[in-house]
Amino acid sequence: MTVVPQPPYPLHESIRDRLHPEYVAFYNQFIINQQQVHYQPVTASRTSGILIPGGGPVVDVGKVEDISVKRSETEGPDIPVRVFTPPGERPENGWPVCLYFHGGGWVLGNINTENTVCSNVCLRGKCVVVTVDYRLAPEYPFPAAVHDCWEALLWLVSSATASALSIDTSKLLVAGSSAGGNLAAVMTHKALALSQGDSESHRPIRIVKQVLVVPVMDNTATVANNWSWREFEHTAALPAAKMMWYRNHYLPIETDRANPEASPLLYDDDDNWSKLAPAVIIVGELDVLRGEGETYAEKLQRAGVPVDLHLMQGMPHPFLAMDSVLQAGKTAITLFCEAALSAFY
């Protein structure tokens, strides 16, 4: 019988003195006694309240609208999306647009999870932001999330949607955090493949930038084969065991883990990497996922793709969602907003 560790969960000695004091103070006051998600049933984690404490408020934008997206290529229910529209008069050709995918290991999170990020990017990045409520594992394992996000992208770039949302789909940014960063990278590759193919049912998709925050890039990474998994095995917030818990739910068939649509780092070198969109990649210094994010940036750079890589000192995985208590969270959101502005204006 497996004994499940119970709170409190003090920071591991291998990482404690390397973490930023802001994070340590917040952790010891508000997180140390909270049950960790990989030690309880999925349903308990989904109903326990805020996914990651320490987030700032949603900012006011011009309009927020929830829409159900009909599918054009895959089977399944309609896909809920939320549309944030800036205040004021739209540009002559329509608002630039950001398609955003939330984090949560493909298991947790929903359309409300990262509204702080979405509303900030909408207001400060002067663009429409569309966030996708993709299906979650273990009920809907890989490739359900990929299918949902792809359907949302196809819907977004259709002429009917562009007219209804007053958007300019020639100015499209794709973004996400953690599992959402994984999905954003996959969408960027799939969009490029579509644009270079002979599809008659969909027009080409041009993505002008990708913003990937603490992304999952390699679902074959382990403590045995990846340096950051090994060095930060017992890090805060996302230790290796917790990442494996997410992976086992999303990718229960082990052979799927090397599929590039699960591990975008593993797309072949001849898959036109040089034609992918410029990237902003933000990683945490003490994140188990740091190595694969940096390797993805290096692979883009070797292909000649412009990459802005930012390393958040002293940070474990979830800093983006902790902007009310961590300066790194505020900085990451600002970098995201600046990336949108530089891509669109």
Side-chain angles (χ1 to χ4, degrees), residues 282-329:
I282 307 173
V283 297
E285 181 190 11
L286 308 178
D287 186 1
V288 70
L289 302 178
R290 172 184 167 183
E292 57 204 76
E294 291 179 336
T295 302
Y296 194 78
E298 292 165 2
K299 194 166 183 177
L300 286 170
Q301 289 171 326
R302 286 198 303 271
V305 177
V307 178
D308 291 327
L309 177 64
H310 301 272
L311 178 67
M312 294 298 173
Q313 299 291 333
M315 285 296 122
H317 185 72
F319 56 85
L320 178 71
M322 300 177 68
D323 60 297
S324 75
V325 296
L326 299 178
Q327 181 57 48

Side-chain angles (χ1 to χ4, degrees), residues 94-336:
W95 292 106
V97 60
C98 167
L99 183 62
Y100 187 80
F101 308 112
H102 69 77
W106 311 277
V107 175
L108 305 176
N110 54 46
I111 204 167
N112 300 308
T113 299
E114 289 167 26
N115 283 188
T116 294
V117 176
C118 293
S119 59
N120 268 276
V121 174
C122 172
L123 183 67
R124 297 162 59 190
K126 300 179 181 178
C127 63
V128 165
V129 176
V130 177
T131 184
V132 181
D133 200 10
Y134 55 87
R135 289 172 294 172
L136 301 175
E139 297 89 344
Y140 301 100
F142 175 85
V146 174
H147 289 171
D148 292 0
C149 294
W150 181 241
E151 292 282 6
L153 177 55
L154 294 177
W155 164 81
L156 185 64
V157 300
S158 69
S159 56
T161 302
S163 176
L165 300 185
S166 298
I167 57 175
D168 178 359
T169 57
S170 72
K171 295 181 177 180
L172 170 62
L173 182 153
V174 174
S177 70
S178 194
N182 167 282
L183 293 166
V186 171
M187 294 305 109
T188 305
H189 281 272
K190 286 175 69 67
L192 178 62
L194 175 68
S195 297
Q196 295 184 326
D198 298 322
S199 174
E200 296 180 359
S201 58
H202 300 294
R203 58 177 167 171
I205 301 171
R206 178 174 178 263
I207 295 172
V208 299
K209 187 168 285 188
Q210 50 184 321
V211 178
L212 313 175
V213 185
V214 293
V216 186
M217 289 288 130
D218 182 4
N219 270 305
T220 69
T222 67
V223 171
N225 65 19
N226 183 285
W227 75 267
S228 62
W229 275 67
R230 185 164 52 251
E231 184 169 345
F232 309 129
E233 179 180 3
H234 303 291
T235 191
L238 189 65
K242 185 177 179 181
M243 186 61 218
M244 287 303 302
W245 181 84
Y246 286 126
R247 182 184 294 170
N248 289 337
H249 284 310
Y250 180 56
L251 293 156
I253 301 173
E254 290 196 23
T255 52
D256 284 340
R257 297 177 183 183
N259 185 323
E261 292 194 359
S263 298
L265 183 61
L266 304 186
Y267 275 100
D268 290 340
D269 289 347
D270 59 0
D271 280 340
N272 293 308
W273 280 71
S274 64
K275 297 181 180 179
L276 291 169
V280 174
I281 300 177
I282 307 173
V283 297
E285 181 190 11
L286 308 178
D287 186 1
V288 70
L289 302 178
R290 172 184 167 183
E292 57 204 76
E294 291 179 336
T295 302
Y296 194 78
E298 292 165 2
K299 194 166 183 177
L300 286 170
Q301 289 171 326
R302 286 198 303 271
V305 177
V307 178
D308 291 327
L309 177 64
H310 301 272
L311 178 67
M312 294 298 173
Q313 299 291 333
M315 285 296 122
H317 185 72
F319 56 85
L320 178 71
M322 300 177 68
D323 60 297
S324 75
V325 296
L326 299 178
Q327 181 57 48
K330 296 181 179 68
T331 299
I333 290 177
T334 295
L335 288 170
F336 194 161

